[in-house]
Amino acid sequence: MTPDMASLVESDRVAGSLYTDPALFEQEMDRIFHRTWVWVAHESEIAKAGDFKTAWVGRRPVIVTRDRRGGINVLLNRCRHRGASVCETPKGNGNGFTCPYHAWSYALDGTLRGIPYPEGYEDVVEKKDLPLLKLRAGTYAGMIFASFDPDIEPLEDFLGGARLWIDRFMKQGAGYPIKVQGEHRFRFNGNWKIQLENTTDWYHFPIVHRSWMSSVDAETASMLSIMTDETAVTHALGNGHSVSISVAEHADLDVDDGTEKLQDRFGHIAEELSKDMPPEKVRRIVRSLHGAGFNLNLFPNVAMSMAFFRVLRPLSVGETEIRHVALGLDGGPEIVNRERLRIHEHFQGPFGFGSPDDAEAWNRVQRGVAGGAEMPILVNRGLGREKPNDLGQATSHATDETGMREAYAMWKRMMTDAE
Ligand code: FES
Ligand code: FE
């Protein structure tokens, strides 16, 4: 039986079955992941002609390529003959893809190039009719998105109010473009929306991340003060997107203030850089080590958080893969990129002080909800203190659940529009 979608999401709560109902999960793949823009890569991952990486749109495997003319292609990773995946290498560089089953071969733009022993195909197959299925692809500020819907709205419209924040996020390169330095993946036993909620959930931070805070003395006080800091706010950006600003003085990288703590903390790096850089540039680069000062949630599958991307892939109603992508400065000083990786590992790494604690909390949400799926999940924190900002966006304190309400409003729109 199809549940009544509209009744599952209210302004202050969502049904527990959103995490546990396998039929709903199938509908989410169809109505959300296969119809909207889904993040698949950053341009630095396929910088050169011939570069490719594999990714997922919902549960469908895709290949993101840079073809010989410099074009970006997102191709369904499924042979047009009898369906085998044509590429299982996560990343690489090559001329195209050869299916392992009967060796049909495809160019980087998906064109079917060759069929071995073609005699049996005379008058049956025209190669030009059987390219790898090509998704709609779009880029914004180096972020590559794809959609199975050929008639989808332009990417810029979909990103809407989030574009300002994407632009700001990219400024953390201190004049250098942002590049992907590496990634690690892990899975947790929970629904994908538990992670979606988490990106703008500063309420959990001083609780779940207490061990991390006690490991970084200089940061402890500032992160605890988020509970009472009035400049820490969340804006609902429309279309399910939201941004939570944790350190307001770092949120706008054009403004050079409030960075003294960082200059002290990374004094050893400043000293090294000062050997062949002017003081202003050193200051900007040191400031960039902290990342962006905010978490941006792009519905449905990517977060741009401080100095990394967090990408989610739904595997089943109760299992999700997370990919943590560490960002560096393309062409920037080696010492800075190394330090960024160390900071990343300290929190996000598999043995870090942050992510394993998040994953434990998410597993427990799934276990708890499974034991009482008929009870609602509350997303009402701060409902009474939400106000419009200058742009008319709902705004509240960063520890409030404004971002979750925005994501669930979009969820509801997409799930019911398709009915
Ligand atoms: Fe790919 Fe046969 S399934 S060539
Ligand atoms: Fe967390």
Side-chain angles (χ1 to χ4, degrees):
M1 193 186 81
T2 309
D4 171 15
M5 297 294 172
S7 70
L8 297 177
V9 169
E10 294 175 46
S11 58
D12 63 343
R13 67 192 60 205
V14 304
S17 61
L18 258 68
Y19 298 166
T20 59
D21 182 345
L24 260 185
F25 178 81
E26 294 302 327
Q27 286 168 322
E28 288 175 338
M29 294 305 102
D30 178 34
R31 298 179 181 189
I32 297 175
F33 280 85
H34 298 157
R35 296 190 194 192
T36 192
W37 288 106
V38 170
W39 187 91
V40 288
H42 183 260
E43 283 203 45
S44 63
E45 295 180 278
I46 51 158
K48 299 188 300 296
D51 283 353
F52 66 85
K53 66 166 276 195
T54 51
W56 299 82
V57 174
R59 282 182 305 178
R60 296 184 185 168
V62 298
I63 317 169
V64 188
T65 73
R66 174 85 63 180
D67 63 36
R68 297 286 160 211
R69 290 187 307 279
I72 292 170
N73 307 274
V74 183
L75 310 165
L76 185 64
N77 192 358
R78 179 210 185 277
C79 181
R80 291 301 299 272
H81 177 217
R82 295 233 300 278
S85 64
V86 300
C87 178
E88 293 287 336
T89 309
K91 258 174 207 192
N93 183 281
N95 290 320
F97 309 97
T98 301
C99 180
Y101 204 176
H102 312 92
W104 286 26
S105 60
Y106 300 90
L108 291 161
D109 65 357
T111 311
L112 176 58
R113 258 190 331 209
I115 297 181
Y117 310 107
E119 303 76 23
Y121 285 114
E122 276 158 21
D123 305 324
V124 184
V125 159
E126 284 287 345
K127 282 197 291 223
K128 68 172 176 29
D129 295 336
L130 292 173
L132 295 177
L133 183 88
K134 197 182 263 195
L135 282 72
R136 260 297 282 284
T139 63
Y140 184 81
M143 306 286 274
I144 306 174
F145 298 80
S147 177
F148 278 101
D149 179 358
D151 303 317
I152 193 166
E153 66 181 319
L155 176 63
E156 296 218 345
D157 294 353
F158 171 70
L159 294 173
R163 283 180 294 165
L164 166 77
W165 294 96
I166 297 175
D167 295 344
R168 282 189 177 178
F169 187 90
M170 294 305 175
K171 284 185 181 157
Q172 68 177 274
Y176 297 98
I178 287 294
K179 71 163 180 185
V180 168
Q181 295 212 76
E183 67 176 58
H184 68 94
R185 298 175 187 209
F186 64 95
R187 293 176 175 198
F188 71 95
N189 293 321
N191 185 266
W192 65 276
K193 296 184 293 301
I194 297 170
Q195 199 264 261
L196 182 75
E197 293 168 6
N198 178 263
T199 298
T200 52
D201 178 0
W202 285 102
Y203 188 29
H204 83 287
F205 205 90
I207 323 282
V208 169
H209 299 304
R210 194 163 285 275
S211 63
W212 175 79
M213 287 194 297
S214 61
S215 74
V216 190
D217 291 344
E219 297 278 314
T220 305
S222 71
M223 294 318 292
L224 267 180
S225 69
I226 196 169
M227 301 309 289
T228 51
D229 178 357
E230 286 180 9
T231 65
V233 293
T234 293
H235 305 293
L237 303 173
N239 288 348
H241 316 312
S242 58
V243 64
S244 271
I245 299 156
S246 54
V247 190
E249 64 264 35
H250 297 162
D252 186 348
L253 288 152
D254 283 335
V255 180
D256 184 22
D257 64 6
T259 60
E260 293 316 318
K261 257 193 300 193
L262 291 178
Q263 303 297 332
D264 284 353
R265 182 175 158 198
F266 300 115
H268 58 296
I269 291 179
E271 205 176 304
E272 186 65 31
L273 295 177
S274 297
K275 288 179 187 160
D276 44 27
M277 271 183 197
E280 270 147 75
K281 191 165 180 189
V282 171
R283 198 175 158 78
R284 269 187 82 197
I285 291 178
V286 167
R287 183 183 179 180
S288 79
L289 280 162
H290 180 275
F294 58 82
N295 287 354
L296 174 62
N297 209 21
L298 299 180
F299 187 91
N301 79 320
V302 65
M304 303 170 72
S305 176
M306 312 299 277
F308 70 106
F309 301 146
R310 185 157 81 184
V311 188
L312 71 82
R313 171 159 80 98
L315 300 170
S316 69
V317 70
E319 195 183 13
T320 304
E321 181 186 79
I322 304 291
R323 185 177 154 211
H324 277 167
V325 182
L327 302 174
L329 278 45
D330 200 357
E334 192 48 41
I335 188 177
V336 172
N337 282 334
R338 242 192 347 258
E339 185 69 23
R340 287 177 71 103
L341 274 179
R342 296 297 88 82
I343 297 168
H344 181 82
E345 288 159 357
H346 186 157
F347 191 94
Q348 278 85 28
F351 298 103
F353 282 79
S355 281
D357 293 337
D358 278 322
E360 172 62 16
W362 302 341
N363 286 337
R364 290 177 68 156
V365 170
Q366 189 74 17
R367 278 207 294 281
V369 172
E374 68 287 355
M375 295 162 76
I377 307 290
L378 297 181
V379 287
N380 55 1
R381 184 176 161 85
L383 201 53
R385 55 177 172 176
E386 226 170 51
K387 298 203 169 43
N389 65 10
D390 295 349
L391 299 170
Q393 299 159 339
T395 294
S396 196
H397 192 259
T399 61
D400 290 343
E401 286 158 347
T402 301
M404 293 162 223
R405 291 191 284 274
E406 174 61 38
Y408 280 117
M410 182 65 168
W411 185 97
K412 184 172 182 170
R413 204 162 87 214
M414 294 201 76
M415 293 292 277
T416 54
D417 269 3
E419 277 185 312

